[in-house]
């Protein structure tokens, strides 16, 4: 509870569904992102997080294969907590992760985009993969039973709740909005607010990649 309170006090209301705002459409979410000022984040990779996030877990990917916090191919990871049919902050975060994955690959940095669902009833092994593939073919979707996911939410201090029922889309969630940059072993390196530009995300990730490579 101490760690959770510290995280929430540091990231403020942005820990919940894009500052508590539930957008009605992807266009509205993108417009809000464009109108929001970019926060000042360190460009170097030598400033540790002032709180503990992350840890060991095992969930199930879209192929029905158990997957831990570590990437089996030794890649850095961009991790987000959301759900496949989210029309709010996910519609900004997931494309940003896809954009960054391709741009970083062009600079020689292999990146694995990952989403952990906050809606396991709809994001099943059968459905989560095709939904995420619309953003990027390399996306990994992780799901599981509620009792398997709950400890993972706690590890990453992710709060989520249903805010209303959409007659077409079903439950609409408020949930954690940060993207977690992790190393290949699953250690959290920093938090990336989705309001950052693609160039800024790449700049931050590259600073960590260069440090990992010893340059």
């Amino acid at each position: 509870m101490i760690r959770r309170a510290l995280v929430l006090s540091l990231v403020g209301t942005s820990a919940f569904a894009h500052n508590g705002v539930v957008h009605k459409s992807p266009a509205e979410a993108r417009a809000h992102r464009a109108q929001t000022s970019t926060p000042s984040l360190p460009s170097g990779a030598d400033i540790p997080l002032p709180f503990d996030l992350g840890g060991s877990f095992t969930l199930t990917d879209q192929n029905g294969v158990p997957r831990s916090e570590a990437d089996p191919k030794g890649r850095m990871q961009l991790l987000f907590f959301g759900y496949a049919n989210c029309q709010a902050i996910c519609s900004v975060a997931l494309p940003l992760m896809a954009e960054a994955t391709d741009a970083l690959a062009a600079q020689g940095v292999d990146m694995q985009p990952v989403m952990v669902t906050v809606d396991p009833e709809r994001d099943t092994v059968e459905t989560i993969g095709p939904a995420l593939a619309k953003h990027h073919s390399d996306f990994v979707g992780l799901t599981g039973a509620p009792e398997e996911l709950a400890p993972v939410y706690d590890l990453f201090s992710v709060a989520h709740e249903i805010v209303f029922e959409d007659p077409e889309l079903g439950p609409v969630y408020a949930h954690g909005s940060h993207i977690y940059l992790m190393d290949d072993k699953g250690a959290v390196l920093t938090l990336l607010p989705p309001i950052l530009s693609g160039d800024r995300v790449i700049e931050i990730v590259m600073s960590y990649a260069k440090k990992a490579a010893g340059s």
Side-chain angles (χ1 to χ4, degrees), residues 19 42 46 56 59 67 169 190:
N19 295 329
D46 56 350
S56 299
L59 294 172
R67 185 183 179 95
L169 300 174
T190 194

Side-chain angles (χ1 to χ4, degrees), residues 9-76:
S9 67
L10 285 166
V11 303
T13 56
S14 63
F16 302 96
H18 204 195
N19 295 329
V21 177
V22 178
H23 298 291
K24 296 179 180 179
S25 69
E28 184 179 303
R30 287 191 292 271
H32 190 192
R33 172 188 172 189
Q35 295 168 1
T36 308
S37 60
T38 299
S40 177
L41 292 178
S43 58
D46 56 350
I47 303 176
L49 288 173
F51 43 81
D52 292 329
L53 283 175
S56 299
F57 65 82
T58 301
L59 294 172
T60 304
D61 70 16
Q62 66 262 42
N63 298 311
V65 177
R67 185 183 179 95
S68 74
E69 72 285 354
D71 181 74
K73 296 183 179 179
R75 295 165 293 189
M76 296 177 73

Side-chain angles (χ1 to χ4, degrees), residues 162-187:
I162 297 176
V163 290
F164 66 91
E165 293 278 346
D166 185 284
E168 294 183 6
L169 300 174
V172 174
Y173 285 83
H175 58 86
S177 62
H178 281 92
I179 299 168
Y180 300 79
L181 174 63
M182 306 198 305
D183 66 17
D184 60 324
K185 296 178 178 59

